[in-house]
Amino acid sequence: MDPLVAKLNCFAPLSAEERTLLASAYERTIAGAAGSDIVTEGERPQHIHVLLEGWAYRYKMLPDGGRQIMAYLMPGDLCDVHIFILKAMDHSIGLLCDARIGLLTEQAMLDLLDNPRIGRALYLSTLVDDATSREWLANSLRRDPFERVAHLFCELWVRMNAIGLVEADSFDLPLTQAELGDTIGLNPVSVNRVLQRLRAEQMITLGRKRLTLLDPKRLIAISGFDPNYLHLDKSISTHR
Amino acid sequence: MDPLVAKLNCFAPLSAEERTLLASAYERTIAGAAGSDIVTEGERPQHIHVLLEGWAYRYKMLPDGGRQIMAYLMPGDLCDVHIFILKAMDHSIGLLCDARIGLLTEQAMLDLLDNPRIGRALYLSTLVDDATSREWLANSLRRDPFERVAHLFCELWVRMNAIGLVEADSFDLPLTQAELGDTIGLNPVSVNRVLQRLRAEQMITLGRKRLTLLDPKRLIAISGFDPNYLHLDKSISTHR
DNA sequence: CGTTGGTTTGATTAATGTCAACGCACGTGG
DNA sequence: CCACGTGCGTTGACATTAATCAAACCAACG
């Protein structure tokens, strides 16, 4: 099933007709290479990009060369609905691995928004993105490095699970330790030390870009993770 | 003019009819006292709250007693559109000073969303909230304490200016130093020291809950502030 | 087999948090 | 109208954490 359909269906059950409308809305689909940017800060994209396969990430470069990663995007996620208000993107979006992307024209997006149920689901998905940013704020500013990493892993696990990409508490995590650090406000060395501790305490294995949660319960407990803010109730219950 | 009308009009010019529709959408308005909560984490509000006068703030309490402030709300801002997806709020909203609040029933909100132009403006205002959260992430994790405070002040200044509440680069800032710290991830002592440095370097005055930017240019320069993410172009150009 | 990007390790430095006390200003009640 | 109490702001000494620096190691890939 089209990942966008699957995702929106979680928020507002869609009719067969609406599903078809969504799945056939792409002007075309394209392939993107790991490491390349889908959209660059300062430009105004001509299409809305929907991630169909692979991971992407929102980020912002700072004057001093620092990078802040502000979101991870998984299959079904919209990259740049921002197109509607922006003269120029206020951040960039890059690919963490080879990916497939669906392109929506601005008009196609407007048409989708005109459909009450789809429009509402799109609105809700934006609210979830918003709630996620807020949770990241609390996570990065109020928890110590150990808890921070654990919390991020819990979130990614739940989100990957919701789209059916988790097997036996194990999933692909196409991130370097430096990228993890740029996400939660740690330097790569600190990230490394946290990971080792997580391994030593038998909570995870991580290697070859694959993460396994050996003890989800304990990870949830130590990080104070509450999936509440992801509002994925339905999809979670479907898959677990 | 109704602050919500003023705000949405910035995103998508509204007809006289649409303005009336908006301004008369409130079921009623209520007063709220400084220090009280409008909405509490875990509950599901019966109405959507629109801030008409005063400041509010989104926050989350953590198990260890810490508090993270995730947004400041000013006149015209919607507090809890989240009502649509939430079984329960994932954060609380409190008042920083005595305030006036407009109440929208869920149905009234749905009716507003059905109006294409208003619905779109509401959607866009959500996107701006989202962009603001992301900017806070970058600000709090990638800048040093001095730059962080300066950046926050620049944002509040621009937003207050956009709704006409700035006079001679001076505006009401109903925050304690502890609250500032809970916003940008600093302890109150560090906030205090940053403020003193900002004063010593002739960039601000702050007292009696009123902030004056003595040297906006320099504040912008040192913090790397770029109002881009607020997408307020029209309203700014109107007032400056 | 060499190169490259990523990970791991230890030593050191610098920044921020913590603790504790004091002071100031405002509002309250005697 | 004055005295007291409380909340917030300010200050200094100190502890702790995480950043930085530098080097070695490892695994994948050409």
Side-chain angles (χ1 to χ4, degrees):
Chain A
M1 176 157 62
D2 177 87
L4 180 57
V5 171
K7 179 180 162 176
L8 295 189
N9 199 50
C10 290
F11 295 127
L14 304 173
S15 68
E17 192 184 358
E18 286 159 343
R19 288 163 192 237
T20 311
L21 195 63
L22 260 176
S24 61
Y26 307 117
E27 189 183 67
R28 63 182 195 276
T29 69
I30 59 173
S36 64
D37 279 356
I38 299 179
V39 186
T40 311
E41 179 167 356
E43 79 177 23
R44 190 178 189 287
Q46 290 308 303
H47 294 86
I48 291 168
H49 298 76
V50 180
L51 200 57
L52 301 178
E53 269 178 51
W55 282 41
Y57 68 116
R58 299 185 193 285
Y59 71 96
K60 207 175 266 211
M61 297 303 302
L62 283 95
D64 67 354
R67 171 180 62 170
Q68 178 60 38
I69 294 177
M70 298 167 305
Y72 288 115
L73 303 171
M74 297 170 182
D77 288 336
L78 285 92
C79 299
D80 41 16
V81 270
H82 317 76
I83 200 176
F84 289 118
I85 28 172
L86 297 190
K87 299 187 174 120
M89 285 288 285
D90 58 21
H91 64 274
S92 303
I93 300 177
L95 293 178
L96 291 160
C97 49
D98 292 340
R100 213 160 56 81
I101 298 153
L103 300 183
L104 295 171
T105 62
E106 196 163 344
Q107 188 55 51
M109 182 70 184
L110 286 171
D111 292 344
L112 288 177
L113 285 170
D114 276 346
N115 176 303
R117 201 130 44 156
I118 293 175
R120 190 157 164 216
L122 287 169
Y123 187 52
L124 300 190
S125 98
T126 303
L127 289 179
V128 170
D129 291 348
D130 201 11
T132 304
S133 307
R134 281 196 301 267
E135 184 63 35
W136 280 29
L137 257 181
N139 187 44
S140 300
L141 294 180
R142 298 284 151 220
R143 287 191 250 262
D144 69 34
F146 190 63
E147 300 166 333
R148 258 183 246 184
V149 174
H151 191 278
L152 177 61
F153 284 172
C154 288
E155 176 188 310
L156 298 177
W157 172 64
V158 168
R159 288 173 59 192
M160 285 293 272
N161 190 55
I163 54 179
L165 297 179
V166 171
E167 282 179 54
D169 295 335
S170 182
F171 59 94
D172 290 326
L173 184 79
L175 302 176
T176 65
Q177 296 181 3
E179 282 155 353
L180 281 172
D182 285 347
T183 305
I184 54 182
L186 293 176
N187 67 37
V189 177
S190 297
V191 170
N192 184 278
R193 288 179 177 139
V194 167
L195 291 179
Q196 297 195 39
R197 199 175 137 206
L198 285 167
R199 286 192 270 242
E201 300 198 13
Q202 308 284 323
M203 297 204 215
I204 65 164
T205 64
L206 173 58
R208 305 150 140 275
K209 309 263 173 188
R210 187 147 184 112
L211 174 67
T212 303
L213 306 194
L214 298 175
D215 193 343
K217 271 194 185 167
R218 206 142 56 95
L219 282 167
I220 290 170
I222 63 158
S223 66
F225 177 75
D226 178 349
N228 197 319
Y229 67 95
L230 294 171
H231 304 293
L232 285 168
D233 316 58
K234 292 169 204 157
S235 47
I236 288 171
S237 59
T238 307
H239 285 87
R240 299 218 79 215
Chain B
M1 173 158 60
D2 178 85
L4 180 57
V5 171
K7 179 181 161 174
L8 294 190
N9 200 51
C10 290
F11 295 127
L14 304 173
S15 68
E17 192 184 355
E18 286 160 342
R19 289 165 192 236
T20 311
L21 194 64
L22 260 176
S24 61
Y26 305 118
E27 188 184 69
R28 63 182 196 278
T29 70
I30 60 173
S36 64
D37 278 356
I38 299 180
V39 186
T40 311
E41 180 167 356
E43 81 178 22
R44 191 180 188 285
Q46 292 307 306
H47 294 87
I48 290 169
H49 298 75
V50 180
L51 199 58
L52 300 177
E53 269 179 50
W55 282 42
Y57 68 116
R58 300 186 193 285
Y59 71 98
K60 206 174 268 210
M61 296 304 301
L62 282 96
D64 67 354
R67 171 180 62 169
Q68 178 60 38
I69 294 177
M70 297 166 305
Y72 289 115
L73 303 171
M74 298 170 181
D77 288 336
L78 285 93
C79 299
D80 42 15
V81 270
H82 317 75
I83 199 175
F84 290 117
I85 29 172
L86 296 191
K87 299 187 174 123
M89 286 288 286
D90 58 20
H91 64 274
S92 303
I93 300 176
L95 293 178
L96 290 161
C97 48
D98 292 340
R100 212 158 56 80
I101 297 153
L103 299 183
L104 296 170
T105 62
E106 197 164 342
Q107 188 54 52
M109 183 69 184
L110 285 172
D111 292 346
L112 288 178
L113 285 170
D114 276 348
N115 176 302
R117 201 131 44 159
I118 292 175
R120 189 154 166 218
L122 287 169
Y123 186 51
L124 299 190
S125 96
T126 304
L127 289 179
V128 169
D129 291 349
D130 200 11
T132 304
S133 306
R134 281 197 299 266
E135 184 62 36
W136 280 30
L137 257 181
N139 187 43
S140 300
L141 293 180
R142 298 282 152 221
R143 287 191 250 263
D144 70 34
F146 189 64
E147 299 167 333
R148 260 183 245 183
V149 174
H151 190 278
L152 178 61
F153 285 173
C154 288
E155 176 188 310
L156 298 177
W157 171 63
V158 168
R159 288 174 58 193
M160 285 294 272
N161 190 55
I163 53 179
L165 296 180
V166 171
E167 283 180 52
D169 295 333
S170 183
F171 59 94
D172 291 326
L173 184 79
L175 303 176
T176 66
Q177 296 182 0
E179 282 156 352
L180 281 172
D182 285 346
T183 306
I184 52 181
L186 293 175
N187 64 45
V189 177
S190 297
V191 170
N192 184 280
R193 288 180 176 137
V194 167
L195 291 178
Q196 297 194 40
R197 198 174 138 207
L198 284 167
R199 286 191 271 243
E201 300 198 12
Q202 310 282 323
M203 297 204 214
I204 64 163
T205 64
L206 173 58
R208 308 150 139 274
K209 308 263 172 191
R210 189 150 183 107
L211 174 67
T212 304
L213 306 195
L214 299 175
D215 193 342
K217 271 193 185 170
R218 207 142 55 94
L219 282 168
I220 290 170
I222 63 156
S223 66
F225 177 75
D226 178 349
N228 197 321
Y229 68 96
L230 295 171
H231 304 291
L232 284 168
D233 317 57
K234 291 169 202 153
S235 46
I236 288 172
S237 59
T238 308
H239 286 88
R240 300 220 77 215

